[in-house]
Amino acid sequence: MLTIEQIENAAAEVIRGIAPEYRAELVKETRRRYYGPADDAAAVSDLMRNIAAARRYPTT
């Protein structure tokens, strides 16, 4: 399982696009749902975008 830091590093651009009050929740949900390799930043970012869209998180 990825660490919070690994997720934050892999998908920093996606995280910055989400309203600050939802970022921690998005990272935790991504960590819970991602089971791929730790070095696949594209997969982490895609999952994070999908979660954010499904939950309709506000953007900055």
Side-chain angles (χ1 to χ4, degrees):
M1 183 178 280
L2 292 175
T3 66
I4 297 294
E5 184 178 342
Q6 286 173 311
I7 291 170
E8 289 172 342
N9 289 336
E13 184 177 320
V14 176
I15 293 168
R16 279 192 302 272
I18 300 300
E21 61 270 21
Y22 294 94
R23 291 175 184 169
E25 183 180 333
L26 177 59
V27 170
K28 287 178 187 173
E29 180 67 15
T30 302
R31 183 174 189 255
R32 189 177 69 76
R33 293 175 52 183
Y34 184 73
Y35 292 101
D39 62 347
D40 193 349
V44 173
S45 294
D46 287 344
L47 175 59
M48 191 169 275
R49 283 188 190 99
N50 291 339
I51 293 168
R55 294 193 175 192
R56 298 185 175 152
Y57 287 139
T59 58
T60 57

